[in-house]
Amino acid sequence: MSPEVTKSTQKKIKEIIARYPKKQAAILPVIHLIQREKGFISDEEEKLVAELLGIKPVKVREVVTFYSMLSQKPLGKYHIQVCSNLTCSIMGAERLIDYLSKKLGIKPGETSDDGKFTLTTVECLGACEQAPNMMVNTDYYGHLDKEKIDKILKELDE
Amino acid sequence: MNKVPEKVLTKDFDVEHLYKIGVYMKKGGYKTLTKVLKKLKPEDVLKEVKAAHLRGRGGAGFPAGVKWGFVPKDVDKPKYLCVNADEGEPGTFKDRYIMSHNPHMLLEGIVITCFCVGIHTAFIYIRGEYENIAQRLELAISEAEDKGFIGKNILKTGFDLNVFVHRGAGAYICGEETALLESLEGKRGNPRLKPPFPASIGLFQSPTVINNVETLSNIPHIMEKGAEWFVKQGIPKDGGTRIFGVSGKVKKPGIYELPVGTSLKELIYTHAGGMKSGKKLKAVIPGGMSSPILKPDEIDIPMDCESLAKADSMLGSGAVIVLDEDVPIIDVLRKITQFYSHESCGQCTPCRIGNSWINKIVTRIYKGKGKKGDLDNIEKLASNMLGRTLCPLGDAAAMPILAVVKKFRKELKAEIKG
Ligand SMILES: Cc1cc2nc3c(=O)[nH]c(=O)nc-3n(C[C@H](O)[C@H](O)[C@H](O)COP(=O)(O)O)c2cc1C
Ligand code: SF4
Ligand code: FES
């Protein structure tokens, strides 16, 4: 994969860097943009970010490995993140994680062979009033049960 | 309590499209900002906010006015405001409601705060998962810029302020104020040693104010109606309302804005509809996962900082998690220890090793392989964290763990057969 980014992303990156008195501060927003475009942050993207911000690649790696939303390997087209924290758990999340796992044929932390799904368990998503919760890419889904999960997955398939 | 609860922050939440600036202004929005900028001096604002006894809504409950007062006046460095929208404390979801329903109320609070402290750049640090809300905030900021409420020469008063949204990327620890600063500077979110406090040396080595979303959303209301009115909404040293978030085994989980000092029992049984499916109450976590658990005979308690502290717990973020008789206490303990062992940044040994060991022991008990002495060991490891760590996460983990073991020892012991 080439580390080039689109013109519009380049422009956006410039704007973002200008907000901060130190370039390095732009690292999370810049990585978010690049990860959205490339899907993950490999060595090449790491170098690109380092170059853009005028820092050493190791500084980028330190950040990428610290934050759970940043990924060093490709994720599925649909990244399913199920909350396994307290409220969601007592409202049935653990059974749903097993259910999803069986249905997709992958364990939490894995990506399906066709590259379609990644399943992850995460800590509280900040939506406990509608527990149990999960996210599919950037969207929240609450009040989950097996039927609702079936419906969501079916819609993704279409 | 006989006064009829008045809603302040959530009053207009059901107004359609309140997040748009036109609707917010029709509801009287930005009038207070105009009044403050055109008629008042920064010290007038500070005096009012101090008199309002507005305590931080993010977790620690520190009085906002006092915190602002710590910022040195005459420095030749820029000063910063960091709005804490990280909302990672398990059980907490109130800031999400504020930002998605009424982003301009928060922005109005931000501008008044920056005017008061002499700040010209504010960052809203929002948890990465709230991407859609971050977009809404950015839209609101550009609307406010178009109307001249944010940007250069605000309302032609000569006051300048830029506001930027900065998304986190999934790390609970970045809600801790000094970790937030590190993260904003583009580093790993490792908390800093205090002192120096952020008010003197914060973001980019400059004086910095850090406040929670709900805290700042109160500012326009305090400046509109006055400190005296605000204090009356709550109790003398803890003014205003709180947006309590109730989740778990109640009939109506959700947010409830009520006066500071409302009884926890009333919150659960009157407002949140009582227990789901007629089950018996087992325990309540009153202020987010870091707050020590309460048993049913302890919930007749006013929800204010002091009262909860007296009960050896914490009002924290006002996030109430309700557990019923069906929830095994080992599950609760396992979720608590799973969370803290996952979220420890690893800088201090007692926190890193302590949390991971406790989690191992608890998981073993959960799997039916508990050993004699396990509970004592958990207590030892947790006590060893208390007061011995760089940031408050060590205590935030140890206290709820110790409380569960103490208050539910019998049930936990029964889990250990060997
Ligand atoms: C581990 C940890 C996590 C925290 N997470 C948050 C958070 O997500 N949001 C928040 O507002 N405060 C959080 N806090 C509290 C902040 O450190 C800080 O006290 C708060 O942002 C100050 O604002 P306030 O005085 O308006 O409450 C956290 C504290 C600790 C120790
Ligand atoms: S107490 Fe824990 S989270 Fe806080 S700095 Fe130390 S290791 Fe990190
Ligand atoms: S516990 Fe799952 S969203 Fe909070």
Side-chain angles (χ1 to χ4, degrees), chain B residues 137-343:
Chain B
L137 283 172
E138 278 179 339
L139 209 73
I141 291 169
S142 69
E143 284 180 332
E145 284 171 344
D146 288 346
K147 294 260 188 245
F149 298 129
I150 290 176
K152 272 220 162 326
N153 195 13
I154 295 173
L155 296 169
K156 306 204 167 66
T157 59
F159 177 63
D160 303 334
L161 174 69
N162 284 317
V163 182
F164 300 112
V165 177
H166 188 102
R167 281 176 61 217
Y172 165 67
I173 192 61
C174 292
E176 192 281 327
E177 55 185 20
T178 63
L180 186 152
L181 298 176
E182 287 288 299
S183 177
L184 236 169
E185 289 182 6
K187 300 175 226 160
R188 300 168 76 96
N190 290 336
R192 297 176 184 170
L193 195 65
K194 285 192 277 196
F197 289 93
S200 47
I201 299 183
L203 190 65
F204 307 117
Q205 301 289 312
S206 294
T208 302
V209 171
I210 300 153
N211 274 125
N212 169 261
V213 167
E214 185 185 351
T215 311
L216 294 173
S217 299
N218 276 294
I219 301 298
H221 302 284
I222 293 172
M223 294 316 295
E224 183 196 343
K225 297 190 181 134
E228 202 179 314
W229 163 86
F230 190 78
V231 171
K232 273 202 200 124
Q233 303 304 304
I235 60 167
K237 291 280 175 219
D238 199 341
T241 60
R242 296 277 306 225
I243 304 180
F244 297 109
V246 186
S247 70
K249 305 279 191 165
V250 288
K251 283 205 186 96
K252 295 189 291 177
I255 54 160
Y256 295 95
E257 183 183 7
L258 292 163
V260 167
T262 300
S263 128
L264 176 56
K265 198 169 179 180
E266 181 191 325
L267 173 59
I268 295 172
Y269 285 97
T270 310
H271 300 284
M275 301 304 291
K276 207 179 156 184
S277 322
K279 296 278 181 181
K280 237 170 80 190
L281 177 69
K282 177 165 189 163
V284 182
I285 295 177
M289 190 173 259
S290 307
S291 65
I293 200 161
L294 300 174
K295 292 188 97 167
D297 61 358
E298 296 174 296
I299 65 163
D300 209 349
I301 188 172
M303 291 290 272
D304 61 76
C305 295
E306 296 271 302
S307 301
L308 266 301
K310 259 192 228 142
D312 291 323
S313 188
M314 214 167 67
L315 185 57
S317 58
V320 176
I321 306 173
V322 180
L323 310 168
D324 70 8
E325 55 188 327
D326 290 347
V327 179
I329 204 69
I330 184 68
D331 266 3
V332 179
L333 191 58
R334 183 169 63 98
K335 288 295 152 185
I336 296 176
T337 63
Q338 162 199 306
F339 178 69
Y340 290 107
S341 66
H342 185 243
E343 300 297 337

Side-chain angles (χ1 to χ4, degrees), chain A residues 66-81:
Chain A
F66 186 82
Y67 297 92
S68 67
M69 287 177 73
L70 308 181
S71 183
Q72 290 180 293
K73 49 177 207 244
L75 297 169
K77 183 171 170 210
Y78 299 111
H79 187 192
I80 301 182
Q81 307 187 68

Side-chain angles (χ1 to χ4, degrees), chain A residues 20-21 24-25 27 32 36 62-63 65-69 84-85 87 89-90 94 123-124 126-127 129 138 140, chain B residues 80 90 93 96-97 127 130-132 166 168-170 183-184 186-189 247 249 289 334-335 338-339:
Chain A
Y20 305 91
Q24 184 173 349
I27 197 164
H32 276 308
R36 182 184 303 155
E62 276 175 23
V63 164
T65 52
F66 186 82
Y67 297 92
S68 67
M69 287 177 73
S84 69
N85 204 284
T87 299
S89 286
I90 65 172
E94 306 221 320
E123 299 296 352
C124 179
E129 83 283 17
T138 60
Y140 275 73
Chain B
Y80 296 101
F93 46 85
R96 191 185 104 233
Y97 274 87
R127 62 177 299 173
Y130 288 174
E131 188 171 351
N132 298 333
H166 188 102
S183 177
L184 236 169
K187 300 175 226 160
R188 300 168 76 96
S247 70
K249 305 279 191 165
M289 190 173 259
R334 183 169 63 98
K335 288 295 152 185
Q338 162 199 306
F339 178 69

